[in-house]
Amino acid sequence: MIAEEMVFFIPRILFLTAVLFAVVILIKIFIIGIIDVREAESAILVNRLLYTKNGLSYYDEDLNRIYPGIIDLNSFNELSLNNPNRFDNTIISYGSDNPIISAKITLKQEGRRDLIAFYNKNRYDKWEPRVLVTVKGGAGSVKSFNDRKYVLVKDGETLTQALLEFKIIT
């Protein structure tokens, strides 16, 4: 009598075990263990560079207005030649060493040489060789994101078309 009841419980136990394994596997599949925010951080950096008063966009002091999408050529020239680390403490500050993000900003105009500015140049110079395709074994802990924005460049009173390229390494 007892042995007969135990025989009837074997399929139930096997079914219960299979259901428990299925639930555990489903939970493991849907739990997100790693959240990668590097792409979002790079987009935030580009937006801050383009849309803040101390960023790349032309700022009219008389009107206290920023003109997004218009780059002042004289300001970008000065940034490119004299002060490549100006943005390090004004746009986003992660401290003096900033182990989080770096960027190379290239202004390309037809018929002119490319102008280059940096955000966190010291880290960019260290990280850039790691994200090259020739690196054996991959980039490791850093990842590169590229972004392009079509802008107007204000040179005196004239506006010309240009391309602003961002290479962000996080």
Side-chain angles (χ1 to χ4, degrees), residues 2-169:
I2 295 175
E4 197 175 294
E5 288 178 14
M6 289 297 282
V7 170
F8 288 129
F9 274 110
I10 292 175
R12 289 180 183 173
I13 292 172
L14 290 175
F15 180 73
L16 183 62
T17 306
V19 168
L20 285 175
F21 276 124
V23 168
V24 168
I25 289 171
L26 284 174
I27 288 173
K28 285 190 175 193
I29 287 173
F30 289 112
I31 289 179
I32 299 172
I34 299 172
I35 298 174
D36 191 4
V37 296
R38 293 182 291 186
E39 189 171 3
E41 280 184 336
S42 67
I44 290 169
L45 178 65
V46 169
N47 286 335
R48 285 199 177 173
L49 286 168
L50 288 175
Y51 302 121
T52 59
K53 178 180 173 182
N54 298 325
L56 295 171
S57 293
Y58 173 66
Y59 174 69
D60 189 346
E61 292 179 9
D62 296 333
L63 298 175
N64 195 24
R65 180 177 177 204
I66 299 167
Y67 292 89
I70 300 177
I71 308 297
D72 186 7
L73 186 62
N74 294 331
S75 174
F76 201 91
N77 254 334
E78 187 269 327
L79 176 68
S80 176
L81 298 174
N82 301 330
N83 194 2
N85 294 322
R86 183 183 93 190
F87 292 136
D88 289 3
N89 295 319
T90 58
I91 300 299
I92 299 177
S93 181
Y94 291 108
S96 60
D97 191 25
N98 189 354
I100 307 246
I101 194 166
S102 64
K104 177 181 178 182
I105 307 149
T106 308
L107 181 66
K108 295 185 175 196
Q109 289 181 279
E110 193 172 316
R112 293 188 177 188
R113 68 177 176 83
D114 294 348
L115 297 174
I116 298 172
F118 290 93
Y119 173 79
N120 196 8
K121 183 173 180 3
N122 297 335
R123 286 287 178 172
Y124 187 87
D125 291 339
K126 289 179 186 175
W127 289 340
E128 184 183 28
R130 292 186 187 176
V131 295
L132 298 174
V133 288
T134 58
V135 174
K136 197 174 203 176
S141 64
V142 295
K143 191 171 182 182
S144 176
F145 299 96
N146 296 317
D147 198 358
R148 303 170 96 186
K149 302 287 184 189
Y150 292 98
V151 295
L152 295 174
V153 175
K154 184 178 186 327
D155 187 9
E157 293 301 316
T158 61
L159 293 175
T160 57
Q161 296 177 349
L163 178 66
L164 201 56
E165 290 185 343
F166 297 90
K167 183 175 182 182
I168 299 124
I169 302 175

